[in-house]
Amino acid sequence: MQPLDPSPHAPANPQKARSGLNRIWHATGYSLEGLRAGWNEKAFRQEAIAAVVLVPLSFWLGRSWVEMALLAGSVVIVMIVELLNTGIETAIDRIGPEWHDLSKRAKDMGSAAVLLSLLLCIGIWSAALFQRFFHG
């Protein structure tokens, strides 16, 4: 016979029971773990290395704070979407290695989101470079 659980309504995830600064502290740790896990993905690593160059360059290229924010933000958005795509792929892979139409659709949509974020970034940077060097 199993002993009765003294707290039948206890959350399965201990993070849910935390509050205040303790919750923020642990959530920050989980976020840093996510960034470390992302670093192990080749695409994210390439985008992070590009960001090391492009984000500081955005402060030189942008002529106003709005332009700087658009340039730097578009680079960061690519990294965010890449992390989300990797999360989708990881969750799908956890379910099982067999091929399934819904798994393929989820992975394809994640990939499409990355593509759209890259096109947005390229468009913003192209417009800024054109304005800076060819439009006066």
Side-chain angles (χ1 to χ4, degrees), residues 24-78:
I24 292 170
W25 177 258
H26 281 88
T28 301
Y30 299 142
S31 298
L32 293 174
E33 284 297 317
L35 288 171
R36 281 188 208 99
W39 186 256
N40 292 325
E41 296 293 323
K42 187 175 184 179
F44 181 77
R45 195 167 45 250
Q46 291 170 338
E47 293 157 357
I49 291 168
V52 168
V53 174
L54 293 175
V55 170
L57 188 60
S58 69
F59 293 98
W60 172 79
L61 183 59
R63 293 184 175 180
S64 68
W65 74 267
V66 173
E67 287 181 12
M68 288 182 256
L70 281 170
L71 290 163
S74 68
V75 173
V76 174
I77 284 173
V78 171

Side-chain angles (χ1 to χ4, degrees), residues 14-15 17-30:
Q15 176 67 2
R18 295 184 178 110
S19 62
L21 291 177
N22 189 30
R23 183 179 179 94
I24 292 170
W25 177 258
H26 281 88
T28 301
Y30 299 142

Side-chain angles (χ1 to χ4, degrees), residues 61-118:
L61 183 59
R63 293 184 175 180
S64 68
W65 74 267
V66 173
E67 287 181 12
M68 288 182 256
L70 281 170
L71 290 163
S74 68
V75 173
V76 174
I77 284 173
V78 171
M79 295 171 60
I80 292 168
V81 175
E82 186 66 55
L83 286 171
L84 292 171
N85 180 47
T86 300
I88 290 168
E89 290 180 351
T90 302
I92 295 298
D93 290 345
R94 182 188 183 276
I95 293 170
E98 67 276 351
W99 185 92
H100 191 280
D101 187 50
L102 292 176
S103 297
K104 180 182 180 330
R105 186 184 311 174
K107 287 185 171 191
D108 289 350
M109 287 182 189
S111 181
V114 172
L115 174 64
L116 290 176
S117 70
L118 283 167

